[in-house]
């Protein structure tokens, strides 16, 4: 079967949130045609104006066409949804807009279609709306036809693309366009938000130019809209030519914190990378989701690092992507990067740290092995060969292999098709270095898997590269070994354990990060003692590189949350030592590092929080990077007497960046009933559905209120479950929430989920429970 185009007319009733539609589909088919249609009432199917028979199924219709080439016409009607997938209502203030979210399999909730990424087609969309409404789609408006107090907006035809990339937005919007070159770049917001559009507009222009140069392929559409949607389940979505974002992932200005501006840059870069990798070339099936997501993740960091070198974005990469992926991939509940997806219900659960962070980390490892230029040649060849069509992972490996002459296919077979990663144990005997690999599992177990590992090693100051394809290997350098280090620049996706840390040579920031990250998770796996771990930490009490400092701060704060009596002393000692170093530094990364340390201290030290809370009276003049910590401190030290004040401030903020600041504070109170009150604001709409993904992990990391939060979750678990239905997000929320929320109540949590199964979140629950049991060993 092949589909040539969908010609779609939508008559939209914005007031009553419903619509009727007529679509003409040109196709050729050899047998029965099945159109996916969920929540849509199909009223007729016609050929040449004549009605033909069709059969309704639960979420599809069946049309017995036989061998047919031509055009069919489908009439249908549907309502706008109140969840966050398909075509749905996104409220703001006293108004709303209508938006769409079709990835992975939700276009079927908007129009009858063959909702499969392999069946690309051209789309020609026309929408009839009230005169005062604006409409956005993937392409520019071709013409507007007036019809009394209504109008028909006809959009230009799209390139061939998958159904999940179609977009429709309806409402009242403000716009900020850059017409300086092609494509036109625009930022679109709901009324009153456009003042924070200049920075994202500039990023959009810069990243498109970067990708055109890197890929050697011009951006193929005449415009690129970046659209802020006030209620949005995901961070962003790469609809071709009409990218949607939650507001905190798109909007920033000079008053924003560096953390916010960096997030905006990275998300815009990620979604724009998809315009080539995902939209221009699309995976054939969701087994290869990582082809879209891993590559967009990898390229976004490369793009931001090029545009903003002062941000050291490869350092951010190992913090934000590699670290989380290595944790999740060391659990028993994981999956290969190339996941087997047989049912559409399973797709959403693989939008996770493996498909994003691990895949991107493997690409970084491969680029380091091939060299940047050969890697780029392979990518350019791949895009040129498969543009406007679909591809599989093996097609990318062949392009990289042909460009470099190196066995990329063999390496990727090892890393893409099997889950997990290795621990490399390094020992020295005279003139020999022994490397031993075994799979690293967070619970201390292992199996017989081996990996084809591009190893980088420096011995006595000399760099060596090799492919380790066996369990053990010895390297004889012919002289005494005085110093060595393995996994240079933390480019490899593996952990390293040294038999003798005293002979580890001088490390850069990335390598120090790798050392402290590896030894923390070796501690959790009971493969090093706490004394060995503490020795590594104490060697960096006066560390001046932000990467290991931020990693150690995160680790020690986590240990404080697990057992503040046992680990609080070391956590406070490290933070106080580091605060002295970073307090007076003024470069961007130093301010970000200092802000992270201060936020941790607010939650660990009541006296510190009380002292910092005095800054609340002059919040407008506080360093934007420290405002979150100041408001959190005001809540933590003020207690019940300031709750209503902070709640009112939360409710009255115009921009989500500020709303998120006050929401963090509302979850930072020491009193359980106040935090539970905040969680319950999600029932009233005070907290958006999209923010449930945020509030539960934040609440679980408040050590003073975990019992109350657990009771709330047990009682009301069906509410967040329903709010995030169809997205796969709730499983990821529980994966991140249960390890801390369940401390001291492992059996109770286990029993609860055995009695209240949540099939769509099953993997996340199992991951969370596994990590909870591992953490319990630290208490």
């Amino acid at each position: 079967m092949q589909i040539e185009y969908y010609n779609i007319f939508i008559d939209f009733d914005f007031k009553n949130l419903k619509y009727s539609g007529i679509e003409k589909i040109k196709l050729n088919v050899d047998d029965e045609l099945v159109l996916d249609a969920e929540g849509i009432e199909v009223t007729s199917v016609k050929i040449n104006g004549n009605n033909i028979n069709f059969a309704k199924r639960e979420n599809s219709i069946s049309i017995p066409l036989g061998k047919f080439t031509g055009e069919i016409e489908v009439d249908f009607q549907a309502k706008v949804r109140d969840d966050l997938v398909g075509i749905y209502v996104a409220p703001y203030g006293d108004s709303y807009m209508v938006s769409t979210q079709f990835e992975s399999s939700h276009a079927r909730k908007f129009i009858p279609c063959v909702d499969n990424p392999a069946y690309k087609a051209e789309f020609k969309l026309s929408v009839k709306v009230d005169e005062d409404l604006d409409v956005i789609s993937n392409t520019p408006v071709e013409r507007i036809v007036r019809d009394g107090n209504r109008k028909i907006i006809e959009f230009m035809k799209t390139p061939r693309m998958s159904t999940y990339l179609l977009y429709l937005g309806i409402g009242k919007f403000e716009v900020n366009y850059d017409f300086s070159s092609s494509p036109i770049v625009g930022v679109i917001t709901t009324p009153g938000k456009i003042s924070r559009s200049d920075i994202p507009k500039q990023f959009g222009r810069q990243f498109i130019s970067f990708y055109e140069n890197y890929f050697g392929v011009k951006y193929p559409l005449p415009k690129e809209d970046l659209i802020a949607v006030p209620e949005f389940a995901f961070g962003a979505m790469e609809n071709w030519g009409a990218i949607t974002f939650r507001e905190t992932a798109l909007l920033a200005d000079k008053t924003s914190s560096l953390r916010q501006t960096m997030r905006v840059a990275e998300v815009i870069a990620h979604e724009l990378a998809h315009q080539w990798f995902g939209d221009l070339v699309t995976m054939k099936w969701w087994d290869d989701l990582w082809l879209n997501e891993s590559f967009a993740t990898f390229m976004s960091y490369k793009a931001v690092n090029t545009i903003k070198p002062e941000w050291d974005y490869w350092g951010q990469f190992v913090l934000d992507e590699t670290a989380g992926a290595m944790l999740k991939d060391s659990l028993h509940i994981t999956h290969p990067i190339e996941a087997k997806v047989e049912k559409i219900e399973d797709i959403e659960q693989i939008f996770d740290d493996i498909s994003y962070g691990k895949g991107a980390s493997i690409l970084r490892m491969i680029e380091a092995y091939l060299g940047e230029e050969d890697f780029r040649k392979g990518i350019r060849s791949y895009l040129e060969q498969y543009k406007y069509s679909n591809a599989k992972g093996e097609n990318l490996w062949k392009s990289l292999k042909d460009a470099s002459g190196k066995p990329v296919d063999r390496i990727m077979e090892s890393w893409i098709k099997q889950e997990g990663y290795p621990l490399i144990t390094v020992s020295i005997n005279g003139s020999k270095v022994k490397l031993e690999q075994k799979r690293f599992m967070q619970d201390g177990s292992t199996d017989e898997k081996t990996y084809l590992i591009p190893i980088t090693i420096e011995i006595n100051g000399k760099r060596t590269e090799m492919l380790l394809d066996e369990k053990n290997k010895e390297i004889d350098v012919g002289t005494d070994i005085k110093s060595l280090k393995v996994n240079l620049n933390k480019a490899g996706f593996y952990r390293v354990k040294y038999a003798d840390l005293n002979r580890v040579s001088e490390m850069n920031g990335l390598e120090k990060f790798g050392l402290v990250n590896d030894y923390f998770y070796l501690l959790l796996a009971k493969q090093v003692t706490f004394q060995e771990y503490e020795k590594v930490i104490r060697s960096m009490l006066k560390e001046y590189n932000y990467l290991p400092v931020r990693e150690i701060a995160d680790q020690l704060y986590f240990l404080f949350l697990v057992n503040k009596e046992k680990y609080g002393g070391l956590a406070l000692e490290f933070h106080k030592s580091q605060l002295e170093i970073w307090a007076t530094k003024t470069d961007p990364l130093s301010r970000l590092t200092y802000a992270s340390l201060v936020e941790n201290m607010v939650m660990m030290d009541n006296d510190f929080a009380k002292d910092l809370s005095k800054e609340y009276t002059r919040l407008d003049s506080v360093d934007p990077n420290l405002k979150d910590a100041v408001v959190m401190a005001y809540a933590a030290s003020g207690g019940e007497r300031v709750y209503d004040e902070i709640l009112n401030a939360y409710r009255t903020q115009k921009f989500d960046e500020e709303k998120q600041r006050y929401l963090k504070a509302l979850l930072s109170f020491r009193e359980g009933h106040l935090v539970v009150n905040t969680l319950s604001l999600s029932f009233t709409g005070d907290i958006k559905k999209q923010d449930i993904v945020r509030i539960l992990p934040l609440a679980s990391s408040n050590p003073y209120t975990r019992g109350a939060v657990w009771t709330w979750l047990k009682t009301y678990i069906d509410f967040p479950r329903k709010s995030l239905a169809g997205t796969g997000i709730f499983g990821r929320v529980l994966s991140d929430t249960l390890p801390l929320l369940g401390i001291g109540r492992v059996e109770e949590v286990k029993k609860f989920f055995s009695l209240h199964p949540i099939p769509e979140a099953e993997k996340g629950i199992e991951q969370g429970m596994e990590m909870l049991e591992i953490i319990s060993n630290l208490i």
Side-chain angles (χ1 to χ4, degrees):
M1 180 175 67
Q2 183 175 8
I3 299 175
E4 292 299 322
Y5 62 72
Y6 296 85
N7 193 328
I8 306 160
F9 173 81
I10 300 291
D11 188 343
F12 202 89
D13 182 345
F14 190 77
K15 180 180 179 180
N16 295 302
L17 294 173
K18 62 182 182 180
Y19 61 97
S20 59
I22 302 170
E23 64 178 350
K24 296 177 180 179
I25 309 173
K26 185 177 181 181
L27 74 166
N28 63 70
V29 62
D30 292 328
D31 200 350
E32 177 186 63
L33 172 65
V34 176
L35 294 178
D36 299 302
E38 185 175 340
I40 297 173
E41 181 186 355
V42 175
T43 55
S44 70
V45 178
K46 300 174 184 175
I47 297 177
N48 296 326
N50 298 313
N51 286 305
I52 64 170
N53 293 328
F54 65 95
K56 296 181 180 180
R57 299 176 183 171
E58 183 178 2
N59 290 316
S60 65
I61 63 166
S62 172
I63 309 168
L65 291 177
K67 190 173 182 62
F68 174 82
T69 297
E71 186 178 88
I72 67 169
E73 179 180 305
V74 182
D75 290 18
F76 58 94
Q77 57 190 28
K79 294 181 179 180
V80 175
R81 302 171 65 90
D82 62 1
D83 55 13
L84 301 179
V85 292
I87 182 165
Y88 70 94
V89 61
Y92 62 92
D94 296 326
S95 189
Y96 58 86
M97 68 172 285
V98 169
S99 188
T100 59
Q101 169 61 33
F102 294 157
E103 190 179 31
S104 57
S105 56
H106 305 299
R108 67 190 67 196
K109 297 171 182 174
F110 172 53
I111 57 171
C113 59
V114 180
D115 199 10
N116 181 313
Y119 292 92
K120 289 191 169 187
E122 295 173 340
F123 292 82
K124 184 79 168 64
L125 180 65
S126 300
V127 184
K128 187 175 184 179
V129 292
D130 295 337
E131 177 67 32
D132 62 341
L133 292 172
D134 303 314
V135 185
I136 312 164
S137 190
N138 305 77
T139 51
V141 174
E142 188 169 62
R143 68 173 182 151
I144 299 176
V145 178
R146 308 292 172 179
D147 184 4
N149 63 353
R150 307 196 79 206
K151 61 186 176 183
I152 299 171
I153 300 176
E154 297 181 13
F155 292 94
M156 295 171 62
K157 184 172 62 177
T158 72
R160 290 190 65 80
M161 65 183 195
S162 301
T163 49
Y164 76 89
L165 297 172
L166 183 63
Y167 180 71
L168 175 62
I170 304 174
K172 295 183 179 180
F173 304 114
E174 294 180 346
V175 299
N176 182 0
Y177 285 122
D178 175 2
F179 295 101
S180 63
S181 60
S182 181
I184 297 166
V185 175
V187 178
I188 299 177
T189 73
T190 52
K193 304 289 182 73
I194 203 65
S195 62
R196 296 194 175 184
S197 61
D198 283 342
I199 286 175
K201 182 179 71 173
Q202 181 181 15
F203 281 146
R205 175 65 69 204
Q206 289 174 313
F207 292 137
I208 288 173
S209 297
F210 171 81
Y211 289 134
E212 287 182 332
N213 178 61
Y214 186 89
F215 294 136
V217 178
K218 295 290 288 182
Y219 177 80
L221 277 73
K223 62 96 174 174
E224 182 69 275
D225 287 332
L226 312 177
I227 307 159
V229 180
E231 182 77 272
F232 192 60
F234 302 90
M237 174 60 206
E238 64 267 23
N239 314 299
W240 212 356
I243 303 172
T244 47
F245 300 79
R246 65 170 55 192
E247 291 181 2
T248 53
L250 179 64
L251 303 180
D253 65 11
K254 62 182 180 180
T255 69
S256 297
S257 67
L258 177 61
R259 180 185 296 160
Q260 170 68 9
T261 307
M262 291 172 76
R263 169 168 162 76
V264 165
E266 187 271 320
V267 178
I268 291 174
H270 181 105
E271 302 309 323
L272 286 173
H274 272 312
Q275 308 298 286
W276 285 265
F277 237 92
D279 297 4
L280 182 66
V281 180
T282 312
M283 78 260 146
K284 283 188 176 178
W285 180 239
W286 299 101
D287 290 3
D288 279 316
L289 169 68
W290 73 274
L291 264 183
N292 286 10
E293 298 303 345
S294 301
F295 205 88
T297 301
F298 172 76
M299 286 304 305
S300 68
Y301 283 84
K302 181 181 285 291
V304 175
N305 198 62
T306 301
I307 301 301
K308 287 286 190 181
E310 67 272 23
W311 289 354
D312 184 30
Y313 231 61
W314 287 119
Q316 300 301 316
F317 179 88
V318 297
L319 279 170
D320 297 341
E321 304 296 341
T322 303
M326 293 191 87
L327 169 58
K328 292 297 173 65
D329 204 31
S330 65
L331 302 177
H332 287 277
I333 304 301
T334 183
H335 63 82
I337 294 174
E338 184 180 296
K340 291 299 178 188
V341 177
E342 296 176 358
K343 300 181 297 182
I344 62 169
E345 293 83 5
D346 296 335
I347 298 170
E348 301 292 348
Q349 294 198 52
I350 64 169
F351 283 81
D352 59 10
D353 288 292
I354 307 302
S355 296
Y356 287 73
K358 181 182 180 180
S361 299
I362 300 305
L363 289 170
R364 179 170 176 256
M365 181 170 70
I366 290 297
E367 184 191 52
Y369 172 63
L370 300 183
E372 290 188 22
E373 196 50 44
D374 282 349
F375 184 85
R376 182 181 182 183
K377 286 179 185 175
I379 296 305
R380 285 185 162 202
S381 172
Y382 169 83
L383 287 172
E384 185 61 37
Q385 184 172 354
Y386 295 101
K387 61 186 179 183
Y388 301 109
S389 62
N390 299 82
K392 300 179 70 173
E394 61 201 47
N395 304 131
L396 177 59
W397 311 145
K398 185 177 186 306
S399 296
L400 291 171
K401 179 183 178 181
D402 291 347
S404 66
K406 293 181 178 178
V408 179
D409 51 348
R410 284 183 56 221
I411 298 171
M412 296 311 287
E413 185 79 14
S414 175
W415 289 95
I416 297 298
K417 294 186 181 297
Q418 63 178 356
E419 68 270 22
Y421 59 88
L423 168 68
I424 307 295
T425 302
V426 183
S427 57
I428 300 171
N429 183 11
S431 64
K432 296 178 181 178
V433 177
K434 182 179 180 181
L435 305 176
E436 178 185 357
Q437 71 155 300
K438 62 179 179 180
R439 183 183 177 186
F440 178 76
M441 299 290 288
Q442 198 56 69
D443 66 355
S445 64
T446 191
D447 60 26
E448 294 303 309
K449 285 186 176 64
T450 58
Y451 302 83
L452 184 55
I453 313 166
I455 294 281
T456 52
I457 184 169
E458 183 182 285
I459 304 174
N460 293 340
K462 183 180 179 181
R463 177 187 174 108
T464 301
E465 299 175 355
M466 70 183 76
L467 279 177
L468 179 65
D469 59 356
E470 50 198 326
K471 284 189 175 291
N472 300 283
K473 187 176 182 68
E474 281 194 343
I475 307 167
D476 192 342
V477 297
T479 185
D480 283 348
I481 298 169
K482 298 179 180 178
S483 66
L484 87 165
K485 58 182 175 180
V486 178
N487 200 4
L488 308 185
N489 294 320
K490 185 60 178 173
F493 199 78
Y494 53 88
R495 298 203 185 280
V496 179
K497 179 183 177 183
Y498 295 96
D500 184 1
L501 279 169
N502 293 320
R503 285 203 258 187
V504 176
S505 52
E506 183 66 28
M507 292 182 165
N508 62 28
L510 285 164
E511 292 156 355
K512 288 178 179 178
F513 163 85
L515 179 70
V516 297
N517 183 263
D518 289 346
Y519 271 67
F520 178 70
Y521 289 103
L522 286 167
L523 169 68
L524 264 60
K526 298 183 178 180
Q527 297 200 35
V528 300
T529 65
F530 183 77
Q531 289 71 31
E532 290 175 285
Y533 167 75
E534 186 176 10
K535 182 180 178 181
V536 173
I537 300 308
R538 289 195 174 279
S539 72
M540 298 190 192
L541 284 178
K542 295 294 183 181
E543 176 60 45
Y544 287 86
N545 186 284
Y546 83 97
L547 266 178
V549 168
R550 286 186 58 190
E551 174 63 16
I552 294 170
D554 286 348
Q555 292 174 11
L556 294 180
Y557 180 59
F558 180 84
L559 290 174
F560 175 90
L561 296 179
V562 171
N563 188 332
K564 62 183 177 181
E565 286 75 24
K566 188 173 183 179
Y567 304 110
L570 179 60
L572 286 168
E573 181 182 357
F574 178 82
H575 278 76
K576 289 176 180 178
S577 174
Q578 285 295 321
L579 282 172
E580 294 177 5
I581 293 172
W582 300 94
T584 57
K585 295 190 176 198
T586 57
D587 64 280
L589 288 178
S590 293
R591 299 313 296 160
L592 191 60
T593 303
Y594 182 65
S596 297
L597 293 165
V598 170
E599 281 191 30
N600 289 353
M601 284 293 290
V602 165
M603 297 306 292
M604 291 192 295
D605 188 319
N606 290 330
D607 290 337
F608 184 93
K610 186 176 181 179
D611 190 53
L612 184 65
S613 70
K614 298 170 185 175
E615 298 293 296
Y616 187 77
T617 58
R618 61 174 203 94
L619 189 63
D620 287 346
S621 60
V622 168
D623 176 352
N625 299 296
L626 292 175
K627 285 184 178 181
D628 283 17
V630 169
V631 183
M632 290 168 63
Y634 188 65
S637 60
E640 191 148 7
R641 68 181 175 82
V642 303
Y643 183 83
D644 287 343
E645 179 184 355
I646 294 179
L647 176 58
N648 184 61
Y650 166 76
R651 284 173 167 159
T652 55
Q653 298 305 310
K654 177 165 55 166
F655 290 99
D656 275 8
E657 180 183 354
E658 281 76 26
K659 290 184 79 71
Q660 294 298 311
R661 176 173 299 136
Y662 285 94
L663 185 56
K664 282 174 68 175
L666 288 166
L667 295 168
S668 299
F669 283 93
R670 306 305 204 235
E671 297 83 5
H673 69 282
L674 297 180
V675 171
V676 165
N677 284 350
T678 300
L679 293 174
S680 296
L681 294 173
S682 56
F683 301 153
T684 65
D686 280 298
I687 293 177
K688 297 179 181 183
K689 292 177 183 178
Q690 68 177 26
D691 291 328
I692 291 172
V693 67
R694 180 175 172 80
I695 61 175
L696 284 172
L698 277 173
S700 73
S701 63
N702 183 334
Y704 308 98
T705 63
R706 279 198 296 255
V709 173
W710 168 242
T711 300
W712 183 91
L713 181 61
K714 282 192 302 179
T715 306
Y716 300 112
I717 195 164
D718 285 340
F719 179 80
R721 179 185 181 185
K722 181 181 177 183
S723 298
L724 298 170
T727 67
I729 291 174
F730 194 41
R732 295 192 284 281
V733 170
L734 291 175
S735 175
D736 294 336
T737 299
L738 294 180
L740 287 174
L741 207 56
I743 289 175
R745 54 180 67 88
V746 175
E747 293 305 316
E748 180 186 349
V749 175
K750 192 181 299 183
K751 182 179 179 180
F752 176 81
F753 284 105
S754 69
L755 295 175
H756 301 84
I758 304 176
E760 73 276 16
E762 181 180 9
K763 290 181 180 179
I765 293 168
E766 291 181 12
Q767 282 183 331
M769 291 304 304
E770 183 179 348
M771 198 63 198
L772 172 58
E773 300 221 15
I774 291 165
I775 290 169
S776 296
N777 295 324
L778 292 170
I779 297 175

